[in-house]
Short mmCIF file of all heavy atoms in Angstrom, two decimals:
data_model
loop_
_atom_site.label_atom_id
_atom_site.label_comp_id
_atom_site.label_asym_id
_atom_site.label_seq_id
_atom_site.Cartn_x
_atom_site.Cartn_y
_atom_site.Cartn_z
N ASP A 1451 -17.41 -42.28 25.47
CA ASP A 1451 -17.38 -40.83 25.66
C ASP A 1451 -16.13 -40.35 26.40
O ASP A 1451 -16.05 -39.20 26.82
CB ASP A 1451 -18.64 -40.35 26.39
CG ASP A 1451 -18.80 -41.00 27.76
OD1 ASP A 1451 -17.96 -41.85 28.14
OD2 ASP A 1451 -19.79 -40.68 28.45
N THR A 1452 -15.13 -41.23 26.53
CA THR A 1452 -13.91 -40.83 27.24
C THR A 1452 -12.86 -40.31 26.25
O THR A 1452 -12.85 -40.65 25.07
CB THR A 1452 -13.30 -42.01 28.01
OG1 THR A 1452 -12.95 -43.05 27.08
CG2 THR A 1452 -14.29 -42.54 29.03
N LYS A 1453 -11.96 -39.48 26.78
CA LYS A 1453 -10.87 -38.94 25.97
C LYS A 1453 -9.97 -40.06 25.47
O LYS A 1453 -9.50 -40.04 24.32
CB LYS A 1453 -10.06 -37.94 26.80
CG LYS A 1453 -8.91 -37.31 26.05
CD LYS A 1453 -8.18 -36.30 26.93
CE LYS A 1453 -7.01 -35.66 26.16
NZ LYS A 1453 -6.28 -34.69 27.01
N GLU A 1454 -9.71 -41.07 26.32
CA GLU A 1454 -8.82 -42.16 25.95
C GLU A 1454 -9.38 -42.94 24.75
O GLU A 1454 -8.65 -43.29 23.83
CB GLU A 1454 -8.63 -43.11 27.14
CG GLU A 1454 -7.84 -42.54 28.29
CD GLU A 1454 -8.68 -41.66 29.21
OE1 GLU A 1454 -9.92 -41.53 28.98
OE2 GLU A 1454 -8.12 -41.11 30.17
N TYR A 1455 -10.69 -43.18 24.77
CA TYR A 1455 -11.33 -43.91 23.67
C TYR A 1455 -11.22 -43.12 22.37
O TYR A 1455 -10.84 -43.66 21.32
CB TYR A 1455 -12.79 -44.17 24.03
CG TYR A 1455 -13.57 -44.94 22.98
CD1 TYR A 1455 -13.63 -46.33 23.02
CD2 TYR A 1455 -14.27 -44.28 21.97
CE1 TYR A 1455 -14.36 -47.04 22.07
CE2 TYR A 1455 -14.99 -44.98 21.02
CZ TYR A 1455 -15.03 -46.36 21.08
OH TYR A 1455 -15.76 -47.05 20.13
N ASN A 1456 -11.53 -41.86 22.42
CA ASN A 1456 -11.49 -41.04 21.21
C ASN A 1456 -10.07 -40.81 20.71
O ASN A 1456 -9.85 -40.75 19.49
CB ASN A 1456 -12.21 -39.72 21.46
CG ASN A 1456 -13.72 -39.89 21.52
OD1 ASN A 1456 -14.36 -40.14 20.51
ND2 ASN A 1456 -14.29 -39.75 22.71
N ASN A 1457 -9.11 -40.73 21.63
CA ASN A 1457 -7.72 -40.63 21.20
C ASN A 1457 -7.28 -41.90 20.48
O ASN A 1457 -6.56 -41.85 19.48
CB ASN A 1457 -6.81 -40.40 22.40
CG ASN A 1457 -6.89 -38.97 22.93
OD1 ASN A 1457 -7.41 -38.09 22.25
ND2 ASN A 1457 -6.38 -38.76 24.13
N ALA A 1458 -7.74 -43.06 20.99
CA ALA A 1458 -7.43 -44.33 20.35
C ALA A 1458 -8.02 -44.39 18.94
O ALA A 1458 -7.36 -44.83 17.99
CB ALA A 1458 -7.96 -45.49 21.19
N LEU A 1459 -9.24 -43.92 18.79
CA LEU A 1459 -9.87 -43.89 17.47
C LEU A 1459 -9.09 -43.01 16.50
O LEU A 1459 -8.83 -43.41 15.36
CB LEU A 1459 -11.30 -43.35 17.58
CG LEU A 1459 -12.42 -44.31 17.91
CD1 LEU A 1459 -13.74 -43.56 17.99
CD2 LEU A 1459 -12.52 -45.44 16.88
N GLU A 1460 -8.72 -41.84 16.96
CA GLU A 1460 -8.00 -40.91 16.08
C GLU A 1460 -6.65 -41.48 15.67
O GLU A 1460 -6.23 -41.35 14.51
CB GLU A 1460 -7.82 -39.56 16.80
CG GLU A 1460 -9.12 -38.80 16.97
CD GLU A 1460 -8.94 -37.52 17.78
OE1 GLU A 1460 -7.79 -37.19 18.10
OE2 GLU A 1460 -9.95 -36.87 18.08
N GLU A 1461 -5.95 -42.12 16.60
CA GLU A 1461 -4.65 -42.70 16.28
C GLU A 1461 -4.80 -43.85 15.29
O GLU A 1461 -4.02 -43.99 14.35
CB GLU A 1461 -3.96 -43.18 17.55
CG GLU A 1461 -2.56 -43.72 17.29
CD GLU A 1461 -1.77 -43.92 18.57
OE1 GLU A 1461 -2.23 -43.50 19.65
OE2 GLU A 1461 -0.68 -44.52 18.47
N THR A 1462 -5.84 -44.67 15.50
CA THR A 1462 -6.08 -45.79 14.60
C THR A 1462 -6.41 -45.30 13.19
O THR A 1462 -5.91 -45.83 12.19
CB THR A 1462 -7.23 -46.66 15.13
OG1 THR A 1462 -6.98 -47.03 16.48
CG2 THR A 1462 -7.36 -47.93 14.29
N ALA A 1463 -7.26 -44.28 13.11
CA ALA A 1463 -7.63 -43.73 11.81
C ALA A 1463 -6.41 -43.17 11.08
O ALA A 1463 -6.27 -43.33 9.86
CB ALA A 1463 -8.69 -42.65 11.98
N LYS A 1464 -5.51 -42.54 11.82
CA LYS A 1464 -4.31 -41.97 11.19
C LYS A 1464 -3.43 -43.08 10.60
O LYS A 1464 -2.88 -42.93 9.50
CB LYS A 1464 -3.51 -41.15 12.19
CG LYS A 1464 -2.31 -40.43 11.55
CD LYS A 1464 -1.56 -39.58 12.54
CE LYS A 1464 -0.48 -38.75 11.83
NZ LYS A 1464 0.41 -39.57 10.96
N VAL A 1465 -3.29 -44.18 11.34
CA VAL A 1465 -2.51 -45.30 10.83
C VAL A 1465 -3.11 -45.81 9.52
O VAL A 1465 -2.40 -46.08 8.55
CB VAL A 1465 -2.45 -46.43 11.88
CG1 VAL A 1465 -1.89 -47.72 11.27
CG2 VAL A 1465 -1.61 -46.01 13.08
N LEU A 1466 -4.44 -45.91 9.48
CA LEU A 1466 -5.10 -46.39 8.27
C LEU A 1466 -4.93 -45.40 7.12
O LEU A 1466 -4.63 -45.80 5.98
CB LEU A 1466 -6.59 -46.61 8.54
CG LEU A 1466 -6.92 -47.79 9.46
CD1 LEU A 1466 -8.39 -47.75 9.86
CD2 LEU A 1466 -6.59 -49.11 8.79
N GLU A 1467 -5.10 -44.11 7.41
CA GLU A 1467 -4.96 -43.09 6.37
C GLU A 1467 -3.54 -43.04 5.81
O GLU A 1467 -3.32 -42.67 4.65
CB GLU A 1467 -5.35 -41.71 6.93
CG GLU A 1467 -6.79 -41.59 7.41
CD GLU A 1467 -7.80 -41.45 6.29
OE1 GLU A 1467 -7.38 -41.33 5.12
OE2 GLU A 1467 -9.01 -41.46 6.57
N ASP A 1468 -2.57 -43.46 6.62
CA ASP A 1468 -1.17 -43.49 6.18
C ASP A 1468 -0.83 -44.78 5.45
O ASP A 1468 0.33 -45.02 5.11
CB ASP A 1468 -0.24 -43.33 7.38
CG ASP A 1468 -0.25 -41.90 7.93
OD1 ASP A 1468 -0.71 -40.99 7.21
OD2 ASP A 1468 0.20 -41.72 9.08
N GLY A 1469 -1.82 -45.64 5.23
CA GLY A 1469 -1.60 -46.88 4.49
C GLY A 1469 -1.22 -48.06 5.35
O GLY A 1469 -0.76 -49.08 4.81
N GLY A 1470 -1.43 -47.96 6.66
CA GLY A 1470 -1.05 -49.04 7.56
C GLY A 1470 -2.08 -50.15 7.65
O GLY A 1470 -3.21 -50.02 7.18
N LEU A 1471 -1.66 -51.25 8.29
CA LEU A 1471 -2.53 -52.39 8.57
C LEU A 1471 -2.73 -52.48 10.07
O LEU A 1471 -1.80 -52.30 10.85
CB LEU A 1471 -1.89 -53.69 8.07
CG LEU A 1471 -1.44 -53.78 6.61
CD1 LEU A 1471 -0.94 -55.19 6.31
CD2 LEU A 1471 -2.55 -53.38 5.67
N ILE A 1472 -3.94 -52.80 10.47
CA ILE A 1472 -4.26 -52.89 11.89
C ILE A 1472 -4.95 -54.21 12.21
O ILE A 1472 -5.62 -54.80 11.37
CB ILE A 1472 -5.16 -51.73 12.35
CG1 ILE A 1472 -6.52 -51.79 11.67
CG2 ILE A 1472 -4.49 -50.39 12.11
CD1 ILE A 1472 -7.56 -50.85 12.26
N GLY A 1473 -4.77 -54.67 13.45
CA GLY A 1473 -5.58 -55.74 14.00
C GLY A 1473 -6.71 -55.11 14.79
O GLY A 1473 -6.47 -54.25 15.64
N VAL A 1474 -7.94 -55.52 14.51
CA VAL A 1474 -9.08 -54.81 15.05
C VAL A 1474 -10.18 -55.78 15.48
O VAL A 1474 -10.39 -56.82 14.84
CB VAL A 1474 -9.63 -53.79 14.00
CG1 VAL A 1474 -10.20 -54.52 12.80
CG2 VAL A 1474 -10.65 -52.85 14.61
N PRO A 1475 -10.88 -55.49 16.59
CA PRO A 1475 -11.96 -56.38 17.04
C PRO A 1475 -13.23 -56.18 16.22
O PRO A 1475 -13.52 -55.08 15.74
CB PRO A 1475 -12.17 -55.94 18.49
CG PRO A 1475 -11.79 -54.48 18.50
CD PRO A 1475 -10.65 -54.37 17.53
N THR A 1476 -13.99 -57.26 16.07
CA THR A 1476 -15.33 -57.18 15.51
C THR A 1476 -16.29 -57.92 16.44
O THR A 1476 -15.89 -58.36 17.52
CB THR A 1476 -15.40 -57.80 14.09
OG1 THR A 1476 -15.41 -59.23 14.19
CG2 THR A 1476 -14.23 -57.35 13.23
N ASP A 1477 -17.52 -58.08 16.00
CA ASP A 1477 -18.50 -58.77 16.83
C ASP A 1477 -18.36 -60.28 16.78
O ASP A 1477 -19.02 -61.00 17.54
CB ASP A 1477 -19.93 -58.38 16.42
CG ASP A 1477 -20.16 -58.51 14.92
OD1 ASP A 1477 -19.22 -58.82 14.18
OD2 ASP A 1477 -21.31 -58.27 14.48
N THR A 1478 -17.50 -60.81 15.91
CA THR A 1478 -17.34 -62.26 15.79
C THR A 1478 -15.93 -62.70 16.14
O THR A 1478 -15.73 -63.50 17.05
CB THR A 1478 -17.67 -62.71 14.35
OG1 THR A 1478 -16.88 -61.96 13.42
CG2 THR A 1478 -19.16 -62.50 14.05
N ILE A 1479 -14.95 -62.18 15.41
CA ILE A 1479 -13.54 -62.53 15.60
C ILE A 1479 -12.71 -61.27 15.37
O ILE A 1479 -13.23 -60.24 14.98
CB ILE A 1479 -13.10 -63.64 14.62
CG1 ILE A 1479 -13.37 -63.20 13.17
CG2 ILE A 1479 -13.80 -64.96 14.93
CD1 ILE A 1479 -12.95 -64.20 12.11
N TYR A 1480 -11.40 -61.37 15.63
CA TYR A 1480 -10.51 -60.26 15.30
C TYR A 1480 -10.23 -60.26 13.80
O TYR A 1480 -10.18 -61.31 13.15
CB TYR A 1480 -9.20 -60.36 16.07
CG TYR A 1480 -9.28 -59.72 17.44
CD1 TYR A 1480 -9.77 -60.43 18.52
CD2 TYR A 1480 -8.91 -58.39 17.64
CE1 TYR A 1480 -9.87 -59.85 19.79
CE2 TYR A 1480 -9.00 -57.80 18.89
CZ TYR A 1480 -9.48 -58.53 19.97
OH TYR A 1480 -9.60 -57.94 21.20
N GLY A 1481 -10.07 -59.04 13.26
CA GLY A 1481 -9.79 -58.90 11.85
C GLY A 1481 -8.53 -58.11 11.59
O GLY A 1481 -7.96 -57.48 12.49
N ILE A 1482 -8.08 -58.15 10.35
CA ILE A 1482 -7.03 -57.27 9.85
C ILE A 1482 -7.69 -56.32 8.87
O ILE A 1482 -8.47 -56.73 8.01
CB ILE A 1482 -5.92 -58.06 9.15
CG1 ILE A 1482 -5.22 -58.98 10.15
CG2 ILE A 1482 -4.90 -57.12 8.52
CD1 ILE A 1482 -4.26 -59.95 9.51
N ALA A 1483 -7.38 -55.04 9.02
CA ALA A 1483 -8.05 -54.03 8.20
C ALA A 1483 -7.06 -53.03 7.63
O ALA A 1483 -5.99 -52.79 8.20
CB ALA A 1483 -9.12 -53.30 9.02
N CYS A 1484 -7.46 -52.45 6.51
CA CYS A 1484 -6.76 -51.31 5.93
C CYS A 1484 -7.80 -50.47 5.21
O CYS A 1484 -8.97 -50.88 5.12
CB CYS A 1484 -5.67 -51.75 4.95
SG CYS A 1484 -6.29 -52.45 3.40
N LEU A 1485 -7.43 -49.30 4.72
CA LEU A 1485 -8.35 -48.54 3.90
C LEU A 1485 -8.46 -49.20 2.53
O LEU A 1485 -7.45 -49.46 1.87
CB LEU A 1485 -7.88 -47.09 3.73
CG LEU A 1485 -8.17 -46.11 4.87
CD1 LEU A 1485 -7.96 -44.68 4.38
CD2 LEU A 1485 -9.58 -46.26 5.42
N ALA A 1486 -9.68 -49.44 2.11
CA ALA A 1486 -9.90 -50.12 0.83
C ALA A 1486 -9.47 -49.28 -0.36
O ALA A 1486 -9.30 -49.80 -1.45
CB ALA A 1486 -11.37 -50.51 0.69
N SER A 1487 -9.29 -48.00 -0.15
CA SER A 1487 -8.88 -47.10 -1.24
C SER A 1487 -7.38 -47.12 -1.50
O SER A 1487 -6.93 -46.61 -2.53
CB SER A 1487 -9.30 -45.66 -0.90
OG SER A 1487 -8.73 -45.25 0.33
N ILE A 1488 -6.60 -47.69 -0.58
CA ILE A 1488 -5.13 -47.67 -0.72
C ILE A 1488 -4.68 -49.02 -1.26
O ILE A 1488 -4.61 -50.02 -0.54
CB ILE A 1488 -4.47 -47.34 0.63
CG1 ILE A 1488 -4.96 -45.99 1.14
CG2 ILE A 1488 -2.95 -47.35 0.49
CD1 ILE A 1488 -4.38 -45.58 2.48
N SER A 1489 -4.39 -49.06 -2.55
CA SER A 1489 -4.11 -50.31 -3.24
C SER A 1489 -2.93 -51.06 -2.65
O SER A 1489 -2.95 -52.29 -2.53
CB SER A 1489 -3.89 -50.04 -4.73
OG SER A 1489 -5.04 -49.47 -5.32
N ASN A 1490 -1.88 -50.35 -2.27
CA ASN A 1490 -0.70 -51.01 -1.72
C ASN A 1490 -1.01 -51.66 -0.38
O ASN A 1490 -0.49 -52.75 -0.07
CB ASN A 1490 0.45 -50.02 -1.57
CG ASN A 1490 1.77 -50.71 -1.30
OD1 ASN A 1490 2.21 -51.55 -2.08
ND2 ASN A 1490 2.40 -50.40 -0.17
N ALA A 1491 -1.87 -51.02 0.42
CA ALA A 1491 -2.26 -51.60 1.71
C ALA A 1491 -3.06 -52.88 1.49
O ALA A 1491 -2.89 -53.87 2.21
CB ALA A 1491 -3.06 -50.59 2.52
N VAL A 1492 -3.95 -52.87 0.51
CA VAL A 1492 -4.73 -54.07 0.18
C VAL A 1492 -3.79 -55.20 -0.22
O VAL A 1492 -3.93 -56.34 0.23
CB VAL A 1492 -5.73 -53.76 -0.96
CG1 VAL A 1492 -6.38 -55.05 -1.46
CG2 VAL A 1492 -6.80 -52.78 -0.48
N LYS A 1493 -2.82 -54.89 -1.05
CA LYS A 1493 -1.83 -55.90 -1.47
C LYS A 1493 -1.07 -56.45 -0.27
O LYS A 1493 -0.82 -57.66 -0.18
CB LYS A 1493 -0.85 -55.26 -2.46
CG LYS A 1493 0.27 -56.19 -2.91
CD LYS A 1493 1.26 -55.46 -3.82
CE LYS A 1493 2.43 -56.36 -4.20
NZ LYS A 1493 3.43 -55.65 -5.03
N ASN A 1494 -0.74 -55.58 0.68
CA ASN A 1494 0.01 -56.02 1.85
C ASN A 1494 -0.79 -56.99 2.72
O ASN A 1494 -0.21 -57.88 3.36
CB ASN A 1494 0.43 -54.81 2.68
CG ASN A 1494 1.59 -54.06 2.06
OD1 ASN A 1494 2.29 -54.58 1.19
ND2 ASN A 1494 1.79 -52.82 2.48
N ILE A 1495 -2.12 -56.82 2.77
CA ILE A 1495 -2.93 -57.77 3.53
C ILE A 1495 -2.79 -59.17 2.95
O ILE A 1495 -2.63 -60.16 3.68
CB ILE A 1495 -4.42 -57.34 3.54
CG1 ILE A 1495 -4.63 -56.20 4.55
CG2 ILE A 1495 -5.32 -58.52 3.91
CD1 ILE A 1495 -6.08 -55.79 4.73
#
């Protein structure tokens, strides 16, 4: 519920919407993610 957390979310979402790749935590290990709708980003993974 902090501003810093929500700002981080918004910035991360923008990177994804722009076709970027991110390193992101999950409940098991760290992952690499992109938007599944952006074909070039999928290829880059």
